[in-house]
Amino acid sequence: MAPRILEGPLVECVPNLSEGRDPHIIAAIASAVGAVPGVLILDLQLDPDHNRCVLTFAGPPEAVRDAAVEAAGAAARLIDMNRHAGVHPRIGAADVVPFVPLQDITLEQCAVLARAAGEQHWQRHGVPVYFYDAASLRPDRTRLEQIRYHGFQFLKTAALTDDYRRPDVGGRALHPTAGASIFGARKLLIAYNVNLQTPDVEVAKRIARQIRASSGGFPGVKALGVFLASRGLAQVTTTITDFELSPLHIVFNAIRDIAARESVAIVGSQLIGLLPRRALEMAGVTDFLWESWDDSMILENRLALAASGQFQIPGLSPEP
Amino acid sequence: MAPRILEGPLVECVPNLSEGRDPHIIAAIASAVGAVPGVLILDLQLDPDHNRCVLTFAGPPEAVRDAAVEAAGAAARLIDMNRHAGVHPRIGAADVVPFVPLQDITLEQCAVLARAAGEQHWQRHGVPVYFYDAASLRPDRTRLEQIRYHGFQFLKTAALTDDYRRPDVGGRALHPTAGASIFGARKLLIAYNVNLQTPDVEVAKRIARQIRASSGGFPGVKALGVFLASRGLAQVTTTITDFELSPLHIVFNAIRDIAARESVAIVGSQLIGLLPRRALEMAGVTDFLWESWDDSMILENRLALAASGQFQIPGLSPEP
């Protein structure tokens, strides 16, 4: 039986921090998160090339909110954006701080949590905050790119004079070393790359164009074709922002099929971070050409239905 | 998050009863099970052709033991084996009563439970009991077929005189109308059929021979080739008795590939009863040609590890 480890509402927080190289700084931030009772650290992805890292933790909503503020505060103290280099666009030490509903909580409730955390980040650490995605307060600030735009160096001047660039919380001026932070709420996303048996990045780019939402592909899927110099091969790098709408295996199958039409094989695929069990289940369900299927045919689901009084044996007449 | 609906040890019981037609009798047996506090009825599969049914219920060990005894007692009262017809081999009203570990309990503990239930069935209902599989008391009684042999009509005479046929619990004589019952403990099994795009049952038989354990195929897999008259097509009918050892998708892929070599397509597949979530997950995991994979990349598993203090971020030096 799959475990329900923690009871009650459960939120994940996935701060993207502008430090991917110094293990002491990252350990200090992780340690600030881990010190909040009830919070569990789940993952850390370091990206030294882009000098960024992504920390994943989860727990009850209030604990996760507090831990997010602690993480953002530690990042603000320890990271100086004026000395930061890396090609990835960024505006602050604690660059992006998304809250993700995992269990017994809505996206809207996570948005409320994100706004409260952002407010505290400003109050306690003097770092102005923008809100994005489900926590956005303005229709032109739903997407990260709209807020991040040209990055820290541009924004620290633009925010002072351009109302359009003014933070949602805090003064016009960015924090001199920590910049600004973007807090938000979003659905769980899957970061997923498929490696191609070719060094030709154009193949990867053509595949990416066909599968991504922005050019008419799968809804909620972002994709780029890139060249992996270390392995001498092309990669389709994807972010699946709604895996219930565009399941992982559908995306994979599409990449494989389009590549096959160009006579290119798949070397393998890579997960960055974690993926929800449900994404594998959805793939598993499609494997068997079921003539009839409903999710209550999964034992654990049937048990859940029965335990909540929602399962009746169909077609059985009541006892005489 | 996948729910853990019931805390603590959880056992499934899957009695095979010698009645597949009269809904009043089946409802009365189900009702006796449902009256035991803590027991959840999960499924009922009727087989009118063989005049059998399979009831599935689950709950805490003692409750499931009591419900199994109630079910067997109700079956013994309501079903007369002397008037029973059907090709499926059988020796009693409550023919086979397996206990299956679901959560926080071992197969051996289920065997103890099965023996206690069988003892009670004899004491309370006067029906002698054989023990099989993990609950077997004799090495020649591990497999159902060894006990069931020629069925009720044969056994009611043979048990009287042949020590080899003597029940494990109870007198030599079978119950005059309820026969004998076979209690046992086994792993969770998956009953799974694949339908072929051909009426030629020989193709299904050849496939079955290649995949089943008894002729050198997958361990723990039973398979037969049969003709489905109602649909005019051949079917490979399987029982996977150890899906961790011989995963569902491996069995399906083998059937599909062997059929393809005979230029026969798969129409679809059918599940009889329920399957554990894990079987789908295992299928999903293999779909993506992962370059590296471990189960802790599933969010829910990582959360479980973290909650039990078993997850450390690799490669992160402690805070200075």
Side-chain angles (χ1 to χ4, degrees):
Chain A
M1 305 290 294
R4 183 182 169 102
I5 288 301
L6 300 168
E7 292 299 321
L10 210 50
V11 174
E12 186 187 67
C13 184
V14 198
N16 292 231
L17 310 167
S18 293
E19 176 60 59
R21 294 165 190 163
D22 186 331
H24 298 305
I25 290 178
I26 296 166
I29 298 170
S31 171
V33 167
V36 177
V39 169
L40 299 168
I41 293 179
L42 299 184
D43 197 44
L44 172 70
Q45 297 288 329
L46 295 181
D47 183 347
D49 292 336
H50 290 144
N51 198 11
R52 286 173 75 76
C53 73
V54 178
L55 184 67
T56 303
F57 56 90
E62 290 70 27
V64 167
R65 179 199 59 206
D66 293 349
V69 175
E70 293 301 328
R77 278 191 303 278
L78 298 167
I79 300 169
D80 183 351
M81 292 303 291
N82 299 288
R83 302 195 299 177
H84 188 278
V87 281
H88 198 288
R90 64 200 177 275
I91 66 168
D95 195 42
V96 187
V97 186
F99 289 72
V100 178
L102 286 188
Q103 172 181 287
D104 295 349
I105 191 167
T106 64
L107 186 59
E108 291 65 35
Q109 290 169 316
C110 284
V112 171
L113 215 58
R115 293 193 196 114
E119 184 72 44
Q120 285 184 34
H121 186 42
W122 162 247
Q123 296 291 346
R124 285 182 47 195
H125 312 126
V127 178
V129 172
Y130 298 85
F131 295 116
Y132 87 112
D133 209 328
S136 169
L137 297 172
R138 285 169 41 175
D140 56 344
R141 288 187 180 165
T142 55
R143 293 190 301 117
L144 271 185
E145 307 87 83
Q146 293 169 316
I147 300 167
R148 218 149 38 181
Y149 198 49
H150 293 308
F152 173 68
Q153 297 297 343
F154 168 83
L155 198 61
K156 71 178 179 182
T157 309
L160 292 175
T161 54
D162 183 354
D163 275 350
Y164 185 73
R165 296 282 157 204
R166 188 179 179 143
D168 289 313
V169 165
R172 299 187 86 102
L174 267 50
H175 186 285
T177 55
S181 293
I182 310 172
F183 280 58
R186 60 163 171 77
K187 291 186 180 178
L188 197 141
L189 61 77
I190 300 174
Y192 175 63
N193 301 329
V194 178
N195 297 327
L196 306 179
Q197 185 74 56
T198 177
D200 185 357
V201 71
E202 292 306 318
V203 177
K205 287 181 178 176
R206 280 195 291 273
I207 294 172
R209 266 197 299 277
Q210 288 186 64
I211 64 165
R212 69 185 168 219
S214 64
S215 47
F218 297 109
V221 172
K222 302 176 185 179
L224 286 174
V226 297
F227 180 68
L228 288 192
S230 61
R231 297 179 59 183
L233 49 78
Q235 180 184 77
V236 183
T237 174
T238 81
T239 303
I240 301 174
T241 65
D242 190 334
F243 74 92
E244 303 260 6
L245 202 59
S246 295
L248 190 60
H249 61 285
I250 302 287
V251 173
F252 172 76
N253 289 344
I255 294 172
R256 186 194 54 199
D257 294 348
I258 301 168
R261 286 203 292 274
E262 302 215 20
S263 302
V264 170
I266 305 298
V267 173
S269 69
Q270 300 172 318
L271 182 69
I272 312 300
L274 303 170
L275 94 175
R277 189 186 301 278
R278 178 83 190 130
L280 292 183
E281 265 174 54
M282 290 172 78
V285 164
T286 67
D287 282 346
F288 300 100
L289 305 171
W290 298 114
E291 295 191 348
S292 68
W293 177 264
D294 71 275
D295 282 346
S296 84
M297 291 163 80
I298 298 176
L299 171 64
E300 290 84 348
N301 294 346
R302 184 67 59 85
L303 201 54
L305 285 173
S308 60
Q310 293 172 72
F311 176 68
Q312 291 296 326
I313 293 176
L316 192 64
S317 61
E319 196 178 2
Chain B
M1 305 291 293
R4 183 181 169 103
I5 288 302
L6 299 168
E7 293 300 321
L10 210 51
V11 174
E12 187 186 68
C13 183
V14 198
N16 293 230
L17 310 167
S18 293
E19 176 59 62
R21 293 165 189 163
D22 186 331
H24 298 306
I25 290 178
I26 296 166
I29 298 170
S31 171
V33 167
V36 177
V39 169
L40 299 168
I41 293 179
L42 299 184
D43 197 43
L44 172 70
Q45 297 288 330
L46 295 180
D47 184 346
D49 292 337
H50 289 146
N51 198 11
R52 286 173 76 78
C53 73
V54 178
L55 184 66
T56 304
F57 56 91
E62 289 71 26
V64 167
R65 180 199 58 206
D66 294 347
V69 175
E70 293 301 328
R77 277 191 305 277
L78 298 167
I79 300 169
D80 183 350
M81 291 304 290
N82 299 289
R83 302 195 299 176
H84 188 277
V87 281
H88 198 289
R90 65 201 176 276
I91 65 168
D95 194 43
V96 188
V97 186
F99 290 72
V100 177
L102 286 188
Q103 172 181 288
D104 296 348
I105 191 166
T106 65
L107 185 60
E108 289 66 34
Q109 290 169 316
C110 284
V112 172
L113 216 57
R115 293 193 197 115
E119 183 73 44
Q120 285 184 34
H121 185 42
W122 162 248
Q123 297 291 345
R124 284 182 48 194
H125 311 126
V127 178
V129 172
Y130 298 85
F131 295 116
Y132 87 112
D133 209 328
S136 168
L137 297 172
R138 284 168 42 174
D140 55 345
R141 289 189 179 164
T142 54
R143 294 189 300 118
L144 270 185
E145 306 87 83
Q146 293 169 315
I147 300 167
R148 219 149 39 183
Y149 197 50
H150 292 309
F152 172 68
Q153 298 297 345
F154 168 83
L155 199 60
K156 71 177 178 182
T157 309
L160 291 175
T161 53
D162 182 356
D163 273 350
Y164 184 73
R165 295 283 157 203
R166 188 179 180 142
D168 288 312
V169 166
R172 298 187 87 101
L174 267 51
H175 186 285
T177 56
S181 294
I182 310 173
F183 280 57
R186 60 163 171 78
K187 290 186 181 179
L188 196 141
L189 61 78
I190 301 174
Y192 176 63
N193 301 328
V194 178
N195 297 327
L196 307 179
Q197 186 74 58
T198 178
D200 185 356
V201 70
E202 292 307 318
V203 177
K205 286 182 177 175
R206 280 195 292 272
I207 294 172
R209 265 196 299 276
Q210 288 186 64
I211 64 165
R212 69 185 169 219
S214 64
S215 47
F218 297 109
V221 172
K222 302 177 185 178
L224 286 174
V226 297
F227 180 67
L228 288 192
S230 60
R231 298 178 60 182
L233 50 76
Q235 179 183 77
V236 183
T237 174
T238 80
T239 303
I240 301 175
T241 64
D242 191 334
F243 74 92
E244 305 260 6
L245 202 60
S246 296
L248 190 61
H249 61 285
I250 302 288
V251 174
F252 171 76
N253 289 345
I255 294 172
R256 186 194 55 201
D257 294 349
I258 301 168
R261 287 203 291 275
E262 303 214 20
S263 303
V264 170
I266 304 298
V267 173
S269 69
Q270 300 171 318
L271 182 69
I272 312 300
L274 303 170
L275 94 176
R277 190 187 301 278
R278 177 84 190 131
L280 292 183
E281 267 175 53
M282 290 172 78
V285 164
T286 67
D287 283 346
F288 300 100
L289 303 171
W290 298 115
E291 295 191 347
S292 68
W293 177 267
D294 70 276
D295 282 345
S296 84
M297 292 163 79
I298 298 176
L299 171 64
E300 289 85 348
N301 294 346
R302 186 65 61 86
L303 201 54
L305 285 173
S308 61
Q310 294 174 69
F311 176 68
Q312 293 295 325
I313 293 177
L316 192 64
S317 61
E319 194 178 5

